[in-house]
């Protein structure tokens, strides 16, 4: 019997909130996670300082912040200097979370500024989603990786997108445009802007993985029972 993952959106805490130096949401949304551990790529710290939001850790090569200001505001222990030039700031933050055994992560600011930074971040996401439970928030939407059969609690008529990473064969049930062993491939065919027709949609992964997009449930977390 195939292992079916059940994904529901229930109140709960992420282990950490990662803020990257991209397009961050407004301060009011980030403040909904007050009390959570906030890990910033060094450039993103500037925005959170402007928002007056407490930061627990700032990770990176520290070339984009005033280190003395950060030390005076948050303390020296909040600064994690990682000068490695073979990893970007997103990867540094994920590695730092791994070292603390924080696996349930919400990521803010994954895209924005230079396009190559955005594409690089999505590549890092694909790699680390194999070992971490990463949820992306962007512009009122959640995105997370699905690589095995699952049932997902959604709202009827909710817009759902299934984007291959980078190729996936899958079947669906509960969507307006159903897929039946459909092969989705970046550069050929994607599954953007479908719609739910019932409260639970079922996705069967025959091979590969997808990025699943749905409306965010801020401040709710994802429970993968």
């Amino acid at each position: 019997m195939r292992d079916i993952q059940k994904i529901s959106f229930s109140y709960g805490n992420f282990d950490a909130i990662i803020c990257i130096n991209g397009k961050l949401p407004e301060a009011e949304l980030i403040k909904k996670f007050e009390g959570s551990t906030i890990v910033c790529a060094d450039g993103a710290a500037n925005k959170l300082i402007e928002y007056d939001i407490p930061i627990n850790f700032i990770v990176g090569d520290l070339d984009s912040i005033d280190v003395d200001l950060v030390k005076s505001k948050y303390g020296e222990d909040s600064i994690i200097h990682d000068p490695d030039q073979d990893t970007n700031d997103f990867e540094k933050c994920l590695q730092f979370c791994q070292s603390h055994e924080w696996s349930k992560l919400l990521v803010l600011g994954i895209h924005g500024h230079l396009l190559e930074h955005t594409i690089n971040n999505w590549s890092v996401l694909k790699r680390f989603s194999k070992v971490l439970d990463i949820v992306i928030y962007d512009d009122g939407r959640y995105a997370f990786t699905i690589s095995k059969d699952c049932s997902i609690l959604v709202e009827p008529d909710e817009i759902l997108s299934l984007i291959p990473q980078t190729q996936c064969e899958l079947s669906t049930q509960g969507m307006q445009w159903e897929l039946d062993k459909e092969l989705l491939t970046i550069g050929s065919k994607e599954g953007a802007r479908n719609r739910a027709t019932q409260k639970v949609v079922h996705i069967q992964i025959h091979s590969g993985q997808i990025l699943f997009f749905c409306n965010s449930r801020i401040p709710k977390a994802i429970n993968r029972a």
Side-chain angles (χ1 to χ4, degrees):
M1 180 179 295
R2 296 173 69 99
D3 181 23
I4 298 177
Q5 181 177 218
K6 296 180 181 178
I7 300 175
S8 63
F9 301 89
S10 57
Y11 282 101
N13 294 322
F14 292 96
D15 294 333
I17 314 299
I18 295 178
C19 296
I20 310 174
N21 190 24
K23 179 186 174 185
L24 287 170
E26 64 278 3
E28 288 71 21
L29 186 141
I30 302 176
K31 287 178 180 178
K32 289 180 181 289
F33 296 98
E34 188 173 359
S36 299
T37 298
I38 294 184
V39 178
C40 275
D42 58 3
N46 295 319
K47 178 61 70 175
L48 266 66
I49 291 171
E50 178 186 328
Y51 284 167
D52 195 27
I53 293 176
I55 300 170
N56 298 97
F57 300 100
I58 300 171
V59 181
D61 55 16
L62 309 181
D63 64 348
S64 304
I65 61 169
D66 184 333
V67 175
D68 291 334
L69 172 63
V70 171
K71 286 182 179 179
S72 65
K73 191 172 182 65
Y74 302 113
E76 191 165 353
D77 290 343
S78 67
I79 297 178
I80 312 300
H81 184 213
D82 185 345
D84 182 12
Q85 295 302 304
D86 290 328
T87 57
N88 71 3
D89 285 343
F90 182 25
E91 188 166 358
K92 288 179 171 68
C93 288
L94 292 173
Q95 289 172 338
F96 177 75
C97 289
Q98 272 188 309
S99 72
H100 285 74
E101 298 184 348
W102 299 332
S103 61
K104 193 174 185 180
L105 309 173
L106 179 70
V107 177
L108 311 177
I110 196 170
H111 82 83
H113 307 309
L114 295 178
L115 178 59
E116 57 262 43
H117 287 167
T118 300
I119 295 173
N120 193 177
N121 285 337
W122 283 109
S123 178
V124 171
L125 172 66
K126 184 179 188 301
R127 183 162 68 254
F128 277 81
S129 289
K130 298 173 184 177
V131 293
L132 298 173
D133 188 4
I134 304 171
V135 178
I136 304 298
Y137 172 86
D138 183 71
D139 200 19
R141 302 278 283 170
Y142 270 161
F144 51 91
T145 297
I146 296 174
S147 57
K148 63 181 181 179
D149 298 357
C150 63
S151 299
I152 307 173
L153 184 65
V154 296
E155 296 294 331
D157 206 40
E158 182 174 350
I159 294 176
L160 309 173
S161 291
L162 298 81
I163 307 300
Q165 285 272 82
T166 54
Q167 186 176 86
C168 185
E169 184 182 3
L170 71 159
S171 300
T172 64
Q173 181 183 340
M175 296 189 183
Q176 184 173 355
W177 296 284
E178 299 285 27
L179 305 175
D180 183 13
K181 293 187 177 179
E182 195 85 27
L183 183 64
L184 302 180
T185 306
I186 290 294
S188 177
K189 183 177 182 179
E190 301 81 32
R193 309 295 288 181
N194 208 326
R195 287 185 181 273
T197 57
Q198 55 192 41
K199 291 185 177 180
V200 178
V201 299
H202 305 279
I203 299 175
Q204 185 176 4
I205 303 292
H206 304 291
S207 65
Q209 65 176 209
I210 60 167
L211 270 175
F212 181 84
F213 291 80
C214 62
N215 293 336
S216 69
R217 274 74 167 172
I218 300 293
K220 296 180 182 179
I222 290 181
N223 176 30
R224 299 172 185 267

